[in-house]
Amino acid sequence: MTSVIGLLKRLYNIAYPTEVRKSGPSPSNQSTPKPLKFGILGAARIGPAGLIIPARSHPEVVVHAVAARDLARAQAYAAKHGIAKAYGGYQALLDDPEVDVVYNALPNALHYEWTMKALEAGKHVLNEKPTADTAEETRAMFDFAEKKGLVLLDAYHYRFHPALKRAKAIIDSGELGKLKHITVNMMVYQGYFKDDDIRYDFELGGGTLMDMGCYAINCLRYMTSAEPTEVIATSHVVFEPKNAPPDYVRNIDRRMEATFALPDDRTASIVIDAGLPPMLGFIPRFPNTGFVVECERGRLEMLNHVIPTLYHYISVKNDGLGARVEKVYKGAGKGEEWWLTYRHQLEALVDKLRGREPETWLTKEDSVQTMEWIEKVYAKSGLGSRPQSAYFLASRA
């Protein structure tokens, strides 16, 4: 009963966070900085969870503007979410001198172009994962951010939650001995993504490895504190739309499995699936997201590492000391039990922008390596990397 009450409280606070007074100069303290004004590229479904709701409880953040290709859509989105400005074009938002930070929530294939344009316009960028379609683009984006003296962060939001940090701390402590193998699962029920979803559009950087799989590869690298040395094997199932035309090109993965070699004779595997069949033919399956770490003296399993605020557990089985279950909704540092992973991420980003030391941060190399291994899995599978952007930024030449 206690866990149910806790869940309900978290859900309520997530949906209705306390609106905080935004920081800024006051008659008694003129030195207080103005809030950071964010602009969203794309009237996307991820916007509310990814930024709009977390911003409501952050005293230093205001969601100031949104841009869409269609002005009417941007205006409707702005009205729904209480955003001051709406633009019918992405460049118009970048030209707004009041925007300090851009949240790039566009499809994968547009991340490179519009992040580069945002950086060129002097804006810091929170970029939706995966970084871009290729590792080459990823490195170029971070190199350009460094050149401009700006902050670029990929939105691997799950990395900022204290539950994941606790799971890693258990592994790193040596309690279970040497890590032998990790399996990361990211699976959702059939129909979770509709046939016309951008995740199934090759030209837009689609594929489940690009979408859910980037979390899995990032997670196995984080939990093992190591880079794979080789993609040993892959298997995949391609996405088959209903009534596919005869000339339909089957280059989008609906399911992807991959096994990796790690240093010191360790291994890792990922299982990504956007089409779990329904139970009894009609009951949608609950998403299967989590990981299992096999060690010399036991195993650790974490359920729901991607959205742990809703519910999660860390199951530890120590061959010598028995079993236990841990749940971590609030860490020793900043945060509340109801903070979404996105809220923890926003806290870290603002700390970075204000010159404070974030509790957690993702480096350029972290983002680049994740994209490199995505491309290596696609190469091994025969599906190939997603199309590289044709955009060229003259100022980089």
Side-chain angles (χ1 to χ4, degrees):
M1 179 61 74
T2 302
S3 61
V4 173
I5 293 173
L7 172 61
L8 293 176
K9 286 181 177 179
R10 291 193 300 276
L11 291 175
Y12 179 83
N13 284 310
I14 290 168
Y16 304 102
T18 302
E19 295 278 354
V20 297
R21 180 184 178 276
K22 302 303 177 179
S23 64
S26 65
S28 61
N29 188 358
Q30 291 294 318
S31 64
T32 303
K34 293 181 179 179
L36 293 163
K37 291 188 175 181
F38 280 65
I40 304 175
L41 292 181
R45 286 180 294 178
I46 189 61
L51 177 63
I52 295 169
I53 293 174
R56 291 174 185 160
S57 63
H58 200 301
E60 299 178 71
V61 173
V62 171
V63 181
H64 170 73
V66 63
R69 289 176 297 173
D70 177 71
L71 177 59
R73 186 180 179 201
Q75 289 173 330
Y77 194 90
K80 180 178 180 180
H81 298 293
I83 300 173
K85 291 187 178 180
Y87 292 105
Y90 307 138
Q91 188 61 49
L93 184 145
L94 300 185
D95 292 338
D96 184 339
E98 293 189 79
V99 172
D100 302 301
V101 190
V102 167
Y103 175 36
N104 188 344
L106 298 171
N108 300 339
L110 300 179
H111 285 182
Y112 176 76
E113 176 180 354
W114 287 102
T115 291
M116 295 297 271
K117 287 181 176 179
L119 295 169
E120 176 71 0
K123 316 295 186 185
H124 304 287
V125 179
L126 173 61
N127 185 53
E128 259 307 326
K129 54 79 196 164
T131 321
D133 277 359
T134 68
E136 180 181 346
E137 291 174 338
T138 300
R139 186 172 291 281
M141 292 159 70
F142 278 93
D143 286 348
F144 190 53
E146 290 177 354
K147 177 182 176 181
K148 298 284 287 185
L150 296 166
V151 173
L152 169 60
L153 174 65
D154 280 338
Y156 285 101
H157 55 95
Y158 82 103
R159 286 275 297 273
F160 296 84
H161 197 276
L164 185 77
K165 298 175 190 177
R166 175 56 185 158
K168 181 170 173 58
I170 294 170
I171 296 300
D172 291 348
S173 72
E175 172 190 343
L176 301 177
K178 177 183 174 182
L179 184 149
K180 296 163 55 181
H181 180 82
I182 180 172
T183 300
V184 186
N185 296 318
M186 291 290 299
M187 295 183 276
V188 296
Y189 59 83
Q190 182 179 334
Y192 188 87
F193 303 130
K194 304 303 180 185
D195 279 10
D196 61 352
D197 195 286
I198 59 172
R199 293 168 178 82
Y200 293 139
D201 189 325
F202 183 76
E203 296 302 321
L204 291 179
T208 56
L209 181 63
M210 290 287 284
D211 185 64
M212 298 186 294
C214 67
Y215 285 125
I217 289 180
N218 188 273
C219 182
L220 76 83
R221 293 177 50 255
Y222 174 70
M223 289 300 299
T224 62
S225 300
E227 294 300 331
T229 57
E230 178 189 3
V231 181
I232 299 172
T234 67
S235 65
H236 66 271
V237 176
V238 297
F239 168 63
E240 293 276 2
K242 296 176 182 177
N243 304 315
D247 60 348
Y248 175 71
V249 180
R250 291 165 175 79
N251 52 12
I252 288 288
D253 47 305
R254 191 219 76 203
R255 179 183 174 93
M256 178 68 75
E257 297 184 50
T259 304
F260 304 83
L262 297 172
D264 301 324
D265 297 321
R266 298 175 296 170
T267 55
S269 58
I270 60 172
V271 182
I272 317 300
D273 199 337
L276 291 178
M279 296 182 292
L280 303 177
F282 67 95
I283 303 174
R285 292 179 181 272
F286 195 78
N288 178 354
T289 62
F291 56 83
V292 177
V293 184
E294 302 287 350
C295 300
E296 288 179 320
R297 297 195 299 273
R299 71 198 297 266
L300 178 147
E301 178 181 2
M302 182 170 181
L303 174 73
N304 198 17
H305 65 298
V306 177
I307 317 177
T309 308
L310 300 184
Y311 177 78
H312 70 272
Y313 64 70
I314 303 168
S315 173
V316 182
K317 294 182 179 179
N318 186 312
D319 292 343
L321 300 176
R324 69 180 188 275
V325 174
E326 297 188 20
K327 299 175 185 178
V328 184
Y329 290 102
K330 189 179 188 305
K334 296 179 179 180
E336 301 292 340
E337 287 192 358
W338 54 268
W339 275 20
L340 290 167
T341 49
Y342 300 100
R343 180 60 179 82
H344 286 280
Q345 174 180 262
L346 184 61
E347 190 76 17
L349 175 59
V350 172
D351 281 348
K352 189 76 169 181
L353 294 173
R354 295 299 200 197
R356 303 186 292 257
E357 186 66 28
E359 290 184 16
T360 303
W361 194 250
L362 273 75
T363 65
K364 171 176 72 175
E365 289 306 319
D366 199 338
S367 293
V368 171
Q369 292 284 359
T370 294
M371 284 308 308
E372 285 186 348
W373 287 104
I374 288 173
E375 288 199 272
K376 288 176 181 178
V377 171
Y378 272 136
K380 186 76 171 181
S381 72
L383 292 176
S385 299
R386 312 298 90 170
Q388 191 158 336
S389 175
Y391 175 70
F392 175 76
L393 183 64
S395 63
R396 287 189 60 240

